[in-house]
Short mmCIF file of all heavy atoms in Angstrom, two decimals:
data_model
loop_
_atom_site.label_atom_id
_atom_site.label_comp_id
_atom_site.label_asym_id
_atom_site.label_seq_id
_atom_site.Cartn_x
_atom_site.Cartn_y
_atom_site.Cartn_z
N ASP I 1376 11.68 5.26 24.73
CA ASP I 1376 11.86 5.33 23.29
C ASP I 1376 10.50 5.51 22.50
O ASP I 1376 10.47 6.14 21.49
CB ASP I 1376 12.60 4.10 22.76
CG ASP I 1376 14.10 4.20 23.06
OD1 ASP I 1376 14.57 5.33 23.15
OD2 ASP I 1376 14.76 3.19 23.18
N ILE I 1377 9.44 4.94 23.03
CA ILE I 1377 8.14 5.04 22.46
C ILE I 1377 7.65 6.50 22.53
O ILE I 1377 7.17 7.13 21.52
CB ILE I 1377 7.19 4.17 23.12
CG1 ILE I 1377 7.52 2.71 22.88
CG2 ILE I 1377 5.72 4.41 22.59
CD1 ILE I 1377 6.78 1.70 23.78
N PHE I 1378 7.88 7.10 23.69
CA PHE I 1378 7.59 8.51 23.92
C PHE I 1378 8.41 9.44 22.92
O PHE I 1378 7.86 10.40 22.31
CB PHE I 1378 7.89 8.93 25.32
CG PHE I 1378 7.79 10.37 25.58
CD1 PHE I 1378 6.61 11.03 25.78
CD2 PHE I 1378 8.97 11.18 25.64
CE1 PHE I 1378 6.52 12.41 26.09
CE2 PHE I 1378 8.84 12.55 25.93
CZ PHE I 1378 7.66 13.15 26.11
N LEU I 1379 9.70 9.18 22.81
CA LEU I 1379 10.53 9.94 21.95
C LEU I 1379 10.05 9.87 20.47
O LEU I 1379 10.05 10.91 19.83
CB LEU I 1379 11.93 9.52 22.14
CG LEU I 1379 12.64 9.64 23.50
CD1 LEU I 1379 13.90 8.95 23.47
CD2 LEU I 1379 12.77 11.12 23.87
N ASP I 1380 9.73 8.74 20.05
CA ASP I 1380 9.38 8.50 18.69
C ASP I 1380 8.02 9.13 18.40
O ASP I 1380 7.90 9.79 17.40
CB ASP I 1380 9.33 6.96 18.35
CG ASP I 1380 9.04 6.71 16.87
OD1 ASP I 1380 10.02 6.87 16.10
OD2 ASP I 1380 7.95 6.46 16.53
N ALA I 1381 7.04 8.89 19.19
CA ALA I 1381 5.69 9.44 18.99
C ALA I 1381 5.65 10.90 18.95
O ALA I 1381 4.84 11.49 18.23
CB ALA I 1381 4.76 8.94 20.03
N ASN I 1382 6.56 11.56 19.74
CA ASN I 1382 6.58 13.00 19.74
C ASN I 1382 7.73 13.65 18.99
O ASN I 1382 7.93 14.88 19.06
CB ASN I 1382 6.67 13.48 21.23
CG ASN I 1382 5.46 13.03 22.00
OD1 ASN I 1382 4.42 13.64 21.86
ND2 ASN I 1382 5.53 12.03 22.90
N ASN I 1383 8.46 12.84 18.21
CA ASN I 1383 9.59 13.29 17.38
C ASN I 1383 10.56 14.08 18.17
O ASN I 1383 11.00 15.17 17.80
CB ASN I 1383 8.99 14.12 16.21
CG ASN I 1383 10.07 14.28 15.05
OD1 ASN I 1383 10.91 13.47 14.97
ND2 ASN I 1383 9.91 15.41 14.35
N LYS I 1384 10.93 13.58 19.34
CA LYS I 1384 11.78 14.34 20.27
C LYS I 1384 13.25 14.18 19.82
O LYS I 1384 13.65 13.12 19.36
CB LYS I 1384 11.71 13.87 21.70
CG LYS I 1384 10.37 14.10 22.32
CD LYS I 1384 10.08 15.58 22.58
CE LYS I 1384 8.77 15.72 23.39
NZ LYS I 1384 8.51 17.21 23.55
N LYS I 1385 14.02 15.25 19.91
CA LYS I 1385 15.41 15.29 19.63
C LYS I 1385 16.19 15.09 20.95
O LYS I 1385 15.81 15.62 22.02
CB LYS I 1385 15.88 16.55 18.95
CG LYS I 1385 15.01 16.86 17.63
CD LYS I 1385 15.19 15.78 16.64
CE LYS I 1385 14.34 16.14 15.37
NZ LYS I 1385 14.33 15.07 14.36
N TYR I 1386 17.32 14.44 20.90
CA TYR I 1386 18.04 14.18 22.08
C TYR I 1386 19.52 13.88 21.67
O TYR I 1386 19.89 13.70 20.54
CB TYR I 1386 17.55 12.99 22.87
CG TYR I 1386 17.51 11.72 21.99
CD1 TYR I 1386 18.56 10.90 21.96
CD2 TYR I 1386 16.35 11.35 21.37
CE1 TYR I 1386 18.51 9.71 21.17
CE2 TYR I 1386 16.23 10.20 20.61
CZ TYR I 1386 17.35 9.38 20.50
OH TYR I 1386 17.29 8.22 19.77
N VAL I 1387 20.43 14.00 22.66
CA VAL I 1387 21.79 13.72 22.49
C VAL I 1387 22.19 12.52 23.40
O VAL I 1387 21.68 12.40 24.48
CB VAL I 1387 22.72 14.94 22.86
CG1 VAL I 1387 22.55 15.33 24.29
CG2 VAL I 1387 24.17 14.61 22.50
N GLU I 1388 23.01 11.68 22.84
CA GLU I 1388 23.38 10.40 23.51
C GLU I 1388 24.76 10.67 24.17
O GLU I 1388 25.60 11.17 23.50
CB GLU I 1388 23.40 9.17 22.67
CG GLU I 1388 21.98 8.75 22.25
CD GLU I 1388 22.08 7.44 21.47
OE1 GLU I 1388 23.09 7.08 20.95
OE2 GLU I 1388 20.98 6.83 21.32
N VAL I 1389 24.95 10.14 25.36
CA VAL I 1389 26.16 10.25 26.11
C VAL I 1389 26.62 8.89 26.59
O VAL I 1389 25.74 8.05 26.92
CB VAL I 1389 25.97 11.22 27.33
CG1 VAL I 1389 27.27 11.16 28.20
CG2 VAL I 1389 25.72 12.62 26.83
N PRO I 1390 27.87 8.51 26.55
CA PRO I 1390 28.33 7.24 27.06
C PRO I 1390 27.97 7.02 28.52
O PRO I 1390 27.81 8.02 29.28
CB PRO I 1390 29.85 7.30 26.92
CG PRO I 1390 30.15 8.33 25.85
CD PRO I 1390 29.02 9.32 25.98
N PHE I 1391 27.71 5.79 28.90
CA PHE I 1391 27.43 5.53 30.27
C PHE I 1391 28.38 4.35 30.68
O PHE I 1391 28.95 3.61 29.92
CB PHE I 1391 26.05 5.08 30.56
CG PHE I 1391 25.63 3.80 29.99
CD1 PHE I 1391 25.70 2.61 30.70
CD2 PHE I 1391 25.16 3.71 28.66
CE1 PHE I 1391 25.30 1.45 30.18
CE2 PHE I 1391 24.80 2.52 28.12
CZ PHE I 1391 24.86 1.39 28.86
N VAL I 1392 28.77 4.37 32.02
CA VAL I 1392 29.66 3.30 32.53
C VAL I 1392 29.00 2.59 33.66
O VAL I 1392 28.21 3.19 34.44
CB VAL I 1392 30.99 3.92 32.90
CG1 VAL I 1392 31.77 4.51 31.73
CG2 VAL I 1392 30.77 5.02 33.95
N PHE I 1393 29.39 1.33 33.87
CA PHE I 1393 28.96 0.61 35.09
C PHE I 1393 30.09 0.70 36.05
O PHE I 1393 31.25 0.41 35.79
CB PHE I 1393 28.81 -0.90 34.69
CG PHE I 1393 27.53 -1.18 33.90
CD1 PHE I 1393 27.49 -1.06 32.54
CD2 PHE I 1393 26.40 -1.59 34.57
CE1 PHE I 1393 26.42 -1.24 31.86
CE2 PHE I 1393 25.25 -1.86 33.88
CZ PHE I 1393 25.26 -1.74 32.49
N GLU I 1394 29.79 1.19 37.32
CA GLU I 1394 30.76 1.19 38.33
C GLU I 1394 30.97 -0.29 38.76
O GLU I 1394 30.06 -1.14 38.68
CB GLU I 1394 30.23 2.04 39.53
CG GLU I 1394 30.41 3.52 39.31
CD GLU I 1394 31.90 3.93 39.06
OE1 GLU I 1394 32.68 3.67 39.88
OE2 GLU I 1394 32.12 4.53 37.94
N GLU I 1395 32.14 -0.51 39.30
CA GLU I 1395 32.38 -1.91 39.85
C GLU I 1395 31.52 -2.24 40.93
O GLU I 1395 31.14 -1.34 41.74
CB GLU I 1395 33.93 -1.96 40.38
CG GLU I 1395 34.88 -1.86 39.30
CD GLU I 1395 34.96 -3.08 38.36
OE1 GLU I 1395 34.41 -4.08 38.75
OE2 GLU I 1395 35.58 -2.97 37.32
N LYS I 1396 31.00 -3.49 40.94
CA LYS I 1396 30.10 -3.86 42.02
C LYS I 1396 30.84 -3.78 43.33
O LYS I 1396 31.94 -4.40 43.38
CB LYS I 1396 29.51 -5.22 41.79
CG LYS I 1396 28.51 -5.67 42.73
CD LYS I 1396 27.80 -6.99 42.44
CE LYS I 1396 26.70 -7.32 43.37
NZ LYS I 1396 26.05 -8.61 42.99
N GLN I 1397 30.18 -3.22 44.32
CA GLN I 1397 30.92 -3.01 45.60
C GLN I 1397 30.02 -3.59 46.74
O GLN I 1397 28.81 -3.71 46.62
CB GLN I 1397 31.22 -1.58 45.89
CG GLN I 1397 32.13 -0.99 44.75
CD GLN I 1397 32.18 0.51 44.87
OE1 GLN I 1397 31.28 1.08 45.42
NE2 GLN I 1397 33.13 1.16 44.19
N ASN I 1398 30.63 -3.96 47.82
CA ASN I 1398 29.90 -4.30 49.08
C ASN I 1398 30.37 -3.30 50.11
O ASN I 1398 31.33 -3.56 50.84
CB ASN I 1398 30.21 -5.70 49.43
CG ASN I 1398 29.30 -6.19 50.57
OD1 ASN I 1398 28.43 -5.41 50.98
ND2 ASN I 1398 29.50 -7.41 51.04
N TRP I 1399 29.77 -2.13 50.14
CA TRP I 1399 30.24 -1.09 51.03
C TRP I 1399 29.63 -1.19 52.37
O TRP I 1399 28.51 -1.57 52.59
CB TRP I 1399 29.87 0.29 50.46
CG TRP I 1399 30.52 0.58 49.17
CD1 TRP I 1399 30.14 0.45 47.89
CD2 TRP I 1399 31.85 1.11 49.07
NE1 TRP I 1399 31.07 0.78 46.96
CE2 TRP I 1399 32.15 1.22 47.63
CE3 TRP I 1399 32.88 1.43 49.91
CZ2 TRP I 1399 33.31 1.73 47.14
CZ3 TRP I 1399 34.04 1.90 49.47
CH2 TRP I 1399 34.36 2.06 48.07
N PHE I 1400 30.40 -0.95 53.44
CA PHE I 1400 29.86 -0.79 54.74
C PHE I 1400 30.46 0.48 55.40
O PHE I 1400 31.47 0.96 54.98
CB PHE I 1400 30.19 -2.04 55.63
CG PHE I 1400 31.71 -2.22 55.91
CD1 PHE I 1400 32.14 -1.79 57.19
CD2 PHE I 1400 32.55 -2.75 55.04
CE1 PHE I 1400 33.47 -1.98 57.49
CE2 PHE I 1400 33.90 -2.91 55.31
CZ PHE I 1400 34.40 -2.48 56.51
N LYS I 1401 29.73 1.00 56.35
CA LYS I 1401 30.09 2.23 56.93
C LYS I 1401 30.79 1.99 58.26
O LYS I 1401 30.32 1.24 59.11
CB LYS I 1401 28.85 3.05 57.14
CG LYS I 1401 29.20 4.53 57.41
CD LYS I 1401 27.81 5.29 57.46
CE LYS I 1401 28.07 6.77 57.60
NZ LYS I 1401 26.86 7.54 57.67
N LYS I 1402 31.97 2.62 58.44
CA LYS I 1402 32.77 2.51 59.67
C LYS I 1402 33.43 3.84 59.91
O LYS I 1402 34.18 4.32 59.05
CB LYS I 1402 33.79 1.35 59.54
CG LYS I 1402 34.59 1.11 60.74
CD LYS I 1402 35.57 -0.03 60.56
CE LYS I 1402 36.40 -0.23 61.77
NZ LYS I 1402 37.36 -1.30 61.64
N GLY I 1403 33.09 4.47 60.98
CA GLY I 1403 33.75 5.68 61.33
C GLY I 1403 33.51 6.79 60.39
O GLY I 1403 34.31 7.59 60.12
N GLY I 1404 32.30 6.72 59.66
CA GLY I 1404 32.03 7.82 58.71
C GLY I 1404 32.58 7.60 57.30
O GLY I 1404 32.34 8.41 56.44
N ASN I 1405 33.38 6.52 57.13
CA ASN I 1405 33.98 6.20 55.85
C ASN I 1405 33.45 4.95 55.26
O ASN I 1405 32.88 4.12 56.01
CB ASN I 1405 35.49 6.07 55.98
CG ASN I 1405 36.20 7.34 56.44
OD1 ASN I 1405 35.88 8.41 55.93
ND2 ASN I 1405 37.07 7.26 57.36
N PHE I 1406 33.51 4.80 53.89
CA PHE I 1406 33.05 3.62 53.22
C PHE I 1406 34.20 2.67 52.93
O PHE I 1406 35.32 3.18 52.53
CB PHE I 1406 32.35 4.01 51.94
CG PHE I 1406 30.94 4.57 52.13
CD1 PHE I 1406 30.86 6.01 52.10
CD2 PHE I 1406 29.91 3.83 52.36
CE1 PHE I 1406 29.57 6.58 52.30
CE2 PHE I 1406 28.66 4.35 52.53
CZ PHE I 1406 28.46 5.76 52.52
N PHE I 1407 33.99 1.40 53.09
CA PHE I 1407 35.04 0.37 52.80
C PHE I 1407 34.52 -0.67 51.93
O PHE I 1407 33.31 -1.05 52.00
CB PHE I 1407 35.55 -0.25 54.15
CG PHE I 1407 36.32 0.77 55.01
CD1 PHE I 1407 35.55 1.55 55.92
CD2 PHE I 1407 37.62 0.91 54.94
CE1 PHE I 1407 36.28 2.35 56.70
CE2 PHE I 1407 38.36 1.80 55.75
CZ PHE I 1407 37.58 2.60 56.66
N ASP I 1408 35.28 -1.16 50.99
CA ASP I 1408 34.95 -2.22 50.04
C ASP I 1408 35.53 -3.53 50.56
O ASP I 1408 36.72 -3.72 50.60
CB ASP I 1408 35.46 -1.90 48.65
CG ASP I 1408 35.14 -3.02 47.61
OD1 ASP I 1408 34.41 -3.85 48.00
OD2 ASP I 1408 35.58 -2.91 46.48
N LYS I 1409 34.63 -4.45 50.85
CA LYS I 1409 35.03 -5.76 51.44
C LYS I 1409 35.41 -6.74 50.44
O LYS I 1409 35.99 -7.78 50.77
CB LYS I 1409 33.87 -6.29 52.28
CG LYS I 1409 33.51 -5.46 53.47
CD LYS I 1409 32.56 -6.19 54.43
CE LYS I 1409 31.26 -6.30 53.78
NZ LYS I 1409 30.22 -6.85 54.74
N ASN I 1410 35.19 -6.55 49.14
CA ASN I 1410 35.32 -7.57 48.13
C ASN I 1410 36.33 -7.36 47.06
O ASN I 1410 36.35 -7.99 46.01
CB ASN I 1410 33.96 -7.83 47.46
CG ASN I 1410 32.93 -8.48 48.38
OD1 ASN I 1410 33.36 -9.31 49.17
ND2 ASN I 1410 31.68 -8.13 48.13
N ASP I 1411 37.23 -6.38 47.31
CA ASP I 1411 38.18 -6.01 46.22
C ASP I 1411 38.96 -7.16 45.69
O ASP I 1411 39.02 -7.39 44.50
CB ASP I 1411 39.11 -4.89 46.72
CG ASP I 1411 40.03 -4.34 45.61
OD1 ASP I 1411 39.39 -3.86 44.61
OD2 ASP I 1411 41.23 -4.50 45.67
N ARG I 1412 39.69 -7.95 46.52
CA ARG I 1412 40.48 -9.00 46.04
C ARG I 1412 39.62 -10.13 45.48
O ARG I 1412 40.00 -10.77 44.43
CB ARG I 1412 41.33 -9.59 47.22
CG ARG I 1412 42.52 -8.63 47.53
CD ARG I 1412 43.33 -9.23 48.71
NE ARG I 1412 42.53 -9.31 49.91
CZ ARG I 1412 43.04 -9.80 51.07
NH1 ARG I 1412 44.24 -10.30 51.11
NH2 ARG I 1412 42.23 -9.74 52.15
N ARG I 1413 38.50 -10.45 46.09
CA ARG I 1413 37.65 -11.50 45.52
C ARG I 1413 37.13 -11.11 44.16
O ARG I 1413 37.06 -11.92 43.26
CB ARG I 1413 36.49 -11.74 46.46
CG ARG I 1413 35.55 -12.86 46.04
CD ARG I 1413 34.66 -13.24 47.16
NE ARG I 1413 33.74 -12.15 47.54
CZ ARG I 1413 32.99 -12.09 48.61
NH1 ARG I 1413 32.92 -13.17 49.39
NH2 ARG I 1413 32.18 -11.10 48.90
N ARG I 1414 36.78 -9.83 43.90
CA ARG I 1414 36.33 -9.39 42.61
C ARG I 1414 37.39 -9.58 41.52
O ARG I 1414 37.14 -10.05 40.48
CB ARG I 1414 35.84 -7.95 42.66
CG ARG I 1414 35.29 -7.47 41.37
CD ARG I 1414 34.69 -6.12 41.53
NE ARG I 1414 35.74 -5.10 41.72
CZ ARG I 1414 35.88 -4.49 42.88
NH1 ARG I 1414 35.19 -4.85 43.94
NH2 ARG I 1414 36.90 -3.64 43.08
#
Side-chain angles (χ1 to χ4, degrees):
D1376 282 331
I1377 297 167
F1378 170 82
L1379 297 171
D1380 184 80
N1382 296 286
N1383 197 27
K1384 295 292 186 182
K1385 306 300 180 184
Y1386 55 87
V1387 61
E1388 290 185 343
V1389 172
F1391 68 93
V1392 294
F1393 286 84
E1394 283 300 303
E1395 292 291 345
K1396 187 173 182 179
Q1397 300 165 342
N1398 187 3
W1399 293 98
F1400 68 100
K1401 197 174 184 183
K1402 182 178 180 181
N1405 296 315
F1406 288 97
F1407 294 86
D1408 180 5
K1409 295 189 291 188
N1410 289 328
D1411 185 61
R1412 284 180 294 178
R1413 183 168 60 191
R1414 184 175 65 253

